Amino acid sequence: MERDDQLELYGFVADQLKAAHARVRTLQVPEGVRMALTRKLLVITAAAKHDLADAARRLEGFMEDLDEGRYPEDVPADGTP
């Protein structure tokens, strides 16, 4: 049963990550902000390989920030950190 729950969570996180990437692609923001958001998603994706529950929590927070219009500020136009 636990394995089924893990697979279900994996599927949910994968679907959410796909939706988040699509949403970031369509945002009307400077390219540097888009790159910073994409980097955050890549970090969450990498975290999912080691701690799926933590990645799900981080992704939820990321999506809440997008919903509220909270984007990284003071990001150079070329996206360098």
Side-chain angles (χ1 to χ4, degrees):
M1 186 66 168
E2 183 178 324
R3 181 164 166 76
D4 290 339
D5 291 343
Q6 188 79 354
L7 287 174
E8 188 175 316
L9 184 57
Y10 242 161
F12 175 76
V13 170
D15 290 343
Q16 291 297 102
L17 280 168
K18 185 176 180 180
H21 276 283
R23 189 163 168 200
V24 167
R25 265 194 316 275
T26 62
L27 286 175
Q28 299 295 318
V29 295
E31 189 60 26
V33 172
R34 184 181 332 284
M35 291 174 71
L37 292 169
T38 300
R39 275 194 300 277
K40 284 186 175 193
L41 283 173
L42 292 174
V43 168
I44 293 169
T45 301
K49 296 175 185 177
H50 305 287
D51 188 345
L52 192 56
D54 179 56
R57 283 189 295 275
R58 293 168 80 173
L59 183 57
E60 183 179 346
F62 179 87
M63 294 301 281
E64 286 174 4
D65 286 347
L66 286 184
D67 289 343
E68 296 295 322
R70 292 187 295 259
Y71 307 127
E73 296 178 13
D74 299 326
V75 179
D78 66 357
T80 55

